[in-house]
Each structure stands twice: as structure tokens, then as C-alpha cells.
Amino acid sequence: MTYKFAAISGASSGIGRSVALKMARENVSVAIFARRIDKLENLAEEIKALNPHVKVFPFQGDVRDKDSVERFFNTCELEFGPLDIFVNNAGIAYSKPFTHLDGKQVQDLIETNFSGSIWSIYHAMRLFEKRNTGALINISSTTILKASQAVPLYAATKLGVAGLIRSLEEKYLTNKDIKIINIIPGPTLTDLVPGTIGRVDAESMISPDDIAHWIWLAINSPKNCKVSNLVLRNSGVF
Ligand SMILES: NC(=O)c1ccc[n+]([C@@H]2O[C@H](COP(=O)([O-])OP(=O)(O)OC[C@H]3O[C@@H](n4cnc5c(N)ncnc54)[C@H](OP(=O)(O)O)[C@@H]3O)[C@@H](O)[C@H]2O)c1
């Protein structure tokens, strides 16, 4: 399949930003969604300079607000036409034991990583089902694979979304035109947990550009060789 248009949540920094740049390099137009519009607008300028042949649409929104998520998907299709790829990437993390989180942090983790992901995937999948085509990429985490003492509630929100992804993947297993891919990265060099960079060995962490590279390979796998869960592990102890 030739992909023409991708939407990416949480594209203002880190993995989402790298994915947007990778898509643009591969001639895919991008709709980029996040709260920090200044960062999105800077990225849009960078993309236009990188590849003047693609369109870029920065959209300020908050995945905790389900109306803003719905507006994003509606506007996307009005601006660009059919959506080919959605990368569910927006997320936050607090590195604290469960009972040390305050009430606002608990609420934000659930509303961003869990509810925000569910609403985003819901709208993307409705568009894919309407035309029976599309690729859904979910950015999960290796915290779904083993118990996490550092980020227990974060792990729970990621595991919850992975449950939905597993059901969708099963549903579309025999459908050659809808791809459901769960990307499961280990520690990655981004600002997700402020203060991490500097405390840990940066060279042992994954680069967000590498994740973008693997996403591109995964969505371009042959139709009879679907990638479902792709674990990307870092090379050292975190
Ligand atoms: N870094 C890691 O070690 C690691 C490992 C495995 C998985 N992941 C996952 O990778 C994804 C991206 O994180 P990252 O590491 O690239 O960190 P990051 O640089 O902090 O990026 C997080 C992105 O999510 C956006 N975001 C956060 N809350 C949002 C909200 N309420 N509404 C809309 N957008 C929101 C942020 O944009 P605004 O602040 O501008 O809204 C930002 O663009 C997350 O789902 C994370 O769980 C990260």
C-alpha cells in the first residue's frame, strides 16, 4: 500500500516528533497533534523545509478532552482526505511508587494514557473501517511485559490499551488491508520522565529516530507477514 496521510498524537517532542519527520521524508503528509502549538508550528516549518512535497497540519489539542480528539480526526479528513495511518503516541509518565502519586497525577495518567488513547483509537478505527483500509500504530512500552516498581500506574495504563490492541489485532488478522501494530519500546532518549537524561547512561537508551525507522518497516511489511507486537529493547540496564 502507498501511504499518503498519517496522523500522529503527541508529535510536539520525542518519539512522535521523530515519527512525523520520518513520515515526511517518506512523502507522507502529516497531521500533528499536541498541546504545545509553538513546538508543532516549529516542527511544521522543519517538515516543509525537509520535503516541500508533503502537507503538514499542526493541531493544538488535548487527548484528555474527547471533543478535541474528535475535532482533530474530523478536521484531518477535511484537510487531507482519507487517513492511512494513525500513530497513537501521546503519553505521560511519573516515576513514583503508586501511593506517592497525588490525585491529579493519578487522574492525568488515566485520562492521558488510557482514556485519551481509547478515544483516539476509536475515531481512527471508525475511519479505517469505513474504507476497509489503514494502519494503526500504538506506542506501548516494555513496562507491559514485566512488573514495574518505577512506574506502576503508567504500566497499568499501557497494559489496558494493549488489551484493546490485542483484540483489534485478532479481529483484523485475516484482513490484509487493516494493520494493527503494537510498538513496545524500552527506555528511549526523550523528555518523558524529566531528569532521566543525565541520571542514566544515555548511550544505552533507544533513540526516537530508531523507533520511527522500525515503525516505517513494520507498516510496510508484506500483506501476508503482519507485524503485531514489536519489542524494541535498549542495550543496558535502566
Ligand atoms: N521515553 C521512553 O522511555 C518511552 C518508552 C516506551 C514508550 N514510551 C511512550 O512513547 C510515547 C511518547 O513519549 P516520549 O518518550 O516521546 O515523551 P515526550 O517527548 O514527553 O512526548 C510525549 C508527547 O505526548 C504529548 N502529550 C502529553 N500529554 C498530552 C495530552 N494531554 N494531549 C496531547 N498530547 C499530549 C506531548 O505533547 P504536549 O506536551 O505538547 O501536549 C508530547 O508530544 C508515550 O506514549 C510514552 O509512554 C516512551
Side-chain angles (χ1 to χ4, degrees):
M1 173 175 180
T2 307
Y3 298 111
K4 291 191 181 137
F5 168 37
I8 303 146
S9 71
S12 59
S13 60
I15 296 169
R17 183 178 186 283
S18 286
V19 173
L21 287 163
K22 173 69 180 167
M23 295 288 169
R25 263 184 226 109
E26 300 292 345
N27 289 318
V28 180
S29 291
V30 286
I32 47 180
F33 178 102
R35 293 166 300 177
R36 289 171 294 174
I37 188 67
D38 53 325
K39 298 236 175 224
L40 292 180
E41 281 168 351
N42 288 343
L43 176 59
E45 289 308 314
E46 207 177 317
I47 287 173
K48 282 180 208 157
L50 182 73
N51 185 349
H53 302 297
V54 298
K55 290 197 260 177
V56 53
F57 167 49
F59 188 103
Q60 183 174 33
D62 187 329
V63 292
R64 292 170 299 179
D65 169 12
K66 69 183 175 66
D67 294 337
S68 105
V69 173
E70 186 172 5
R71 267 198 312 280
F72 173 61
F73 283 97
N74 289 342
T75 319
C76 272
E77 290 238 322
L78 283 175
E79 291 269 331
F80 289 122
L83 182 69
D84 298 316
I85 301 168
F86 173 57
V87 184
N88 180 55
N89 168 75
I92 57 168
Y94 299 109
S95 181
K96 281 185 182 178
F98 180 48
T99 51
H100 292 207
L101 293 164
D102 64 32
K104 170 92 173 73
Q105 290 172 327
V106 170
Q107 188 176 355
D108 275 348
L109 275 166
I110 297 169
E111 289 184 356
T112 307
N113 295 4
F114 186 70
S115 316
S117 291
I118 302 294
W119 283 115
S120 304
I121 292 168
Y122 170 80
H123 288 293
M125 286 309 301
R126 281 170 66 102
L127 295 176
F128 294 163
E129 282 183 359
K130 204 163 67 183
R131 286 185 292 272
N132 191 38
T133 180
L136 171 69
I137 314 297
N138 181 56
I139 306 299
S140 190
S141 154
T142 49
T143 59
I144 71 167
L145 303 177
K146 58 185 173 102
S148 168
Q149 300 309 326
V151 285
L153 183 56
Y154 169 85
T157 59
K158 290 288 185 186
L159 201 48
V161 177
L164 172 66
I165 295 295
R166 194 170 60 180
S167 301
L168 292 174
E169 197 238 321
E170 203 61 35
K171 177 172 179 187
Y172 293 106
L173 192 60
T174 56
N175 182 323
K176 293 194 187 311
D177 298 306
I178 294 188
K179 293 183 175 179
I180 310 285
I181 302 168
N182 202 29
I183 302 286
I184 308 175
T188 305
L189 210 47
T190 71
D191 295 334
L192 185 70
V193 182
T196 303
I197 299 169
R199 263 196 296 119
V200 298
D201 172 17
E203 281 184 14
S204 75
M205 291 171 79
I206 302 168
S207 130
D209 289 348
D210 288 338
I211 295 181
H213 166 80
W214 283 101
I215 288 175
W216 185 251
L217 291 185
I219 57 176
N220 285 290
S221 72
K223 284 189 173 191
N224 57 348
C225 176
K226 285 190 160 187
V227 177
S228 54
N229 288 287
L230 182 59
V231 182
L232 301 172
R233 299 198 58 187
N234 70 311
S235 64
V237 178
F238 186 59

